[in-house]
Amino acid sequence: MDHQYDIIVIGSGPGGYVSAIRAAQLGKKVALVEKYAGLGGTCTNVGCIPAKALLDSSEHFHQAKTEFTVHGIETGDLKLNFNQFIARKKEVIAQNNAGLNFLMRKNKITLYQGHGSFEDSNTLNVGTEKGDQLTLKATDFIIATGSKPASLAGIAIDKKRIITSTEAMDLPALPKSMIIIGGGVIGIELASMFARLGTQITIIEYADSILPTMDRELGKTLQKSLSKLNIVFKLNHRVQQVVNQGDSVSVSFLDEKQQLQTETAAYCLMAVGRKPYTAGLNLEKAGINTDQAGRIIVNDQLQTNQPNIYAVGDVIAGPMLAHKAEEDGKYVAERICGEAGHLDYSLIPGVVYTWPEVASVGKTEEQLKSEGKQYNVGKFPFLASGRARASRDLDGFAKVLVDPTYGEILGVHIIGARAADLIAHATLGIRHEITAAAMNEMVYPHPTFSEVLKEAYLLATGQPSINY
């Protein structure tokens, strides 16, 4: 077999498979190296996709318990089949795996299953599960090996009682209780999922709010909404120790008064972020530099210090998001092939798939204040939306931050039904520098959730809302 390629991509997550497919579409001979049996990386197998499947299933169950009778639907003896709950997630993963395998065949990408490690800047060794060793060569390489869950200093993840999001989405039975360390996106999403099913959830967060990197109003509003699920929030708390006690786990922490407290639960989920995964790549043999956080150092073109080796997604600086990795991958493939790509991290929206959903793009109020920049605020509640009243999705708001001189949209922050879909509309407005007034003048279908943005844009221009 010919083992010489134009481009070898290492890792088949969103950054990897997108870059491989785009390069193949542009006429390159491409190989993709993946250590696991299923393509798609964390996102497809143990992250974004399975999490959304479980979140949707849990929301259906919660709605059936709490909302169906209002709509005249009698549910009778409602119960959860947890085995089927997990089985449906696995079906979704399998469908996505199959789709990616089809795309590899369609685009004539050669797939190697095994662990890739550099021999030098032009040579990659691949060790297969059967013990075979293959030597591949390429003109260019794209590293897209993603990230792994992080932990706190002194706390070992044993994957039994002290678990990560990976194990949390494949538990053998519904736990009665769970302590989640971390109030960021991963912790909050899984907290909402388990709480809907009846698990008693306690969230311990070091910061003074959940979703601390997003606009502060979003975290405050979401906490109020999630409190309806009886989730307990312990903010300004610092975890000291986590101990597996066999059939339970104990977590010791300092509270806001610096008093040591201890709580127990069936599981402790570590949700304190992720770290780049480059283990076993032998980056030093290729002469590739990394920073103190273990991230691969790249320039504006996502090249490493070796000009023929690129890196994308979670292994480099920037937000650890699947859609960011996809944009990285597309950009690098097009750059290698001589196309003029475009990359702007300021236009990458962040989303939290709770219900209500949370989505944000552009500057937050806190950022604008720290920069000393003037801005106008337009804020419209879902409570005043006819569509939201029809579906009883009344929590949340759309908030638009606008430059007072030129009407430029500086940031958009939404918490409410379908916020994850609505944020693309706002991203388009910021990308093309459409003013808030022009965004309001568009014709929006009625009744829709999108009208909360229409009204927020109007209010940001200083005009009174007709509907609020």
Side-chain angles (χ1 to χ4, degrees):
M1 183 182 291
D2 181 8
H3 295 319
Q4 177 70 48
Y5 296 91
D6 296 323
I7 299 173
I8 294 176
V9 180
I10 311 168
S12 71
Y17 73 73
V18 167
S19 60
I21 291 170
R22 186 65 184 129
Q25 289 173 341
L26 293 172
K28 296 294 185 180
K29 182 182 178 183
V30 180
L32 179 64
V33 177
E34 171 55 58
K35 67 179 292 186
Y36 295 110
L39 299 181
T42 293
C43 179
T44 298
N45 295 285
V46 294
C48 321
I49 303 300
K52 303 304 123 18
L54 294 177
L55 281 161
D56 281 346
S57 293
S58 69
E59 179 61 15
H60 288 315
F61 180 68
H62 178 68
Q63 288 288 324
K65 283 198 307 181
T66 61
E67 292 289 325
F68 275 18
T69 55
V70 175
H71 295 280
I73 304 169
E74 299 295 337
T75 56
D77 185 19
L78 183 71
K79 62 181 181 180
L80 176 71
N81 182 336
F82 191 75
N83 289 336
Q84 176 57 29
F85 178 78
I86 298 297
R88 192 190 84 88
K89 175 211 69 172
K90 293 179 179 179
E91 291 172 5
V92 172
I93 294 171
Q95 290 165 0
N96 280 275
N97 289 152
L100 289 173
N101 279 309
F102 167 76
L103 290 172
M104 296 303 110
R105 295 191 299 271
K106 176 184 176 181
N107 291 282
K108 297 179 173 59
I109 297 167
T110 304
L111 178 62
Y112 293 94
Q113 186 184 343
H115 188 92
S117 60
F118 283 101
E119 183 63 32
D120 55 45
S121 61
N122 292 105
T123 309
L124 189 77
N125 295 322
V126 179
T128 70
E129 286 188 348
K130 296 179 181 179
D132 298 328
Q133 287 289 330
L134 301 175
T135 299
L136 313 181
K137 288 186 174 290
T139 305
D140 294 290
F141 291 86
I142 301 173
I143 302 171
T145 47
S147 61
K148 294 288 185 182
S151 188
L152 297 175
I155 298 175
I157 296 170
D158 60 24
K159 299 185 180 182
K160 296 177 181 178
R161 290 291 167 180
I162 306 170
I163 62 176
T164 71
S165 56
T166 300
E167 295 77 42
M169 288 188 285
D170 206 25
L171 292 175
L174 179 67
K176 291 183 178 180
S177 59
M178 181 181 291
I179 295 172
I180 298 178
I181 301 175
V185 176
I186 296 172
I188 292 299
E189 286 186 353
L190 291 177
S192 69
M193 185 268 284
F194 280 111
R196 290 168 186 163
L197 302 180
T199 302
Q200 177 55 60
I201 297 293
T202 299
I203 295 176
I204 302 176
E205 168 57 47
Y206 174 74
D208 61 357
S209 69
I210 62 172
L211 305 180
T213 61
M214 301 183 84
D215 189 280
R216 296 298 288 269
E217 263 198 291
L218 297 177
K220 180 179 179 181
T221 304
L222 182 61
Q223 181 178 338
K224 182 178 179 181
S225 181
L226 293 182
S227 293
K228 300 173 187 176
L229 298 173
N230 298 317
I231 296 174
V232 176
F233 295 89
K234 294 184 179 294
L235 308 179
N236 283 316
H237 286 52
R238 184 193 293 267
V239 173
Q240 302 295 297
Q241 187 180 45
V242 182
V243 179
N244 182 339
Q245 296 181 323
D247 59 355
S248 66
V249 64
S250 67
V251 179
S252 300
F253 52 88
L254 295 176
D255 63 19
E256 63 271 23
K257 297 179 181 179
Q258 299 302 299
Q259 299 295 311
L260 186 64
Q261 308 285 344
T262 299
E263 289 196 9
T264 61
Y267 292 93
C268 173
L269 168 61
M270 296 298 299
V272 293
R274 298 179 66 85
K275 57 186 179 182
Y277 181 68
T278 59
L281 281 177
N282 286 338
L283 296 178
E284 64 280 0
K285 283 193 174 184
I288 298 171
N289 295 332
T290 59
D291 64 16
Q292 290 184 339
R295 297 172 299 198
I296 296 174
I297 299 171
V298 294
N299 61 18
D300 291 341
Q301 285 75 49
L302 305 189
Q303 284 174 302
T304 69
N305 55 299
Q306 299 296 326
N308 70 314
I309 303 178
Y310 299 75
V312 301
D314 288 4
V315 293
I316 65 174
M320 288 184 170
L321 299 169
H323 44 288
K324 180 261 192 184
E326 289 181 346
E327 292 304 306
D328 283 353
K330 179 174 180 289
Y331 172 80
V332 164
E334 291 176 348
R335 293 285 300 187
I336 293 174
C337 296
E339 301 277 329
H342 175 80
L343 199 61
D344 186 349
Y345 288 168
S346 69
L347 293 175
I348 296 177
V351 178
V352 187
Y353 293 90
T354 49
W355 198 261
E357 292 178 335
V358 181
S360 180
V361 67
K363 300 281 188 177
T364 66
E365 281 204 72
E366 291 72 32
Q367 288 172 324
L368 293 175
K369 287 175 182 177
S370 68
E371 294 169 5
K373 188 173 181 61
Q374 297 296 311
Y375 62 93
N376 291 337
V377 179
K379 185 177 174 183
F380 190 82
F382 274 71
L383 183 66
S385 160
R387 180 67 183 87
R389 285 195 292 269
S391 64
R392 289 174 57 86
D393 292 304
L394 303 177
D395 288 351
F397 59 83
K399 181 167 71 172
V400 176
L401 309 176
V402 174
D403 179 271
T405 304
Y406 302 106
E408 175 189 3
I409 302 166
L410 304 174
V412 177
H413 310 282
I414 311 169
I415 175 170
R418 302 303 172 200
D421 299 301
L422 295 178
I423 202 65
H425 173 282
T427 305
L428 180 68
I430 297 176
R431 168 70 177 85
H432 293 286
E433 298 182 350
I434 305 172
T435 66
M439 293 291 275
N440 168 260
E441 290 165 1
M442 293 166 51
V443 178
Y444 293 66
H446 175 78
T448 61
F449 293 119
S450 66
E451 290 173 295
V452 297
L453 272 177
K454 176 180 175 65
E455 297 297 329
Y457 290 129
L458 179 65
L459 291 167
T461 66
Q463 300 297 313
S465 169
I466 296 172
N467 294 296
Y468 183 58

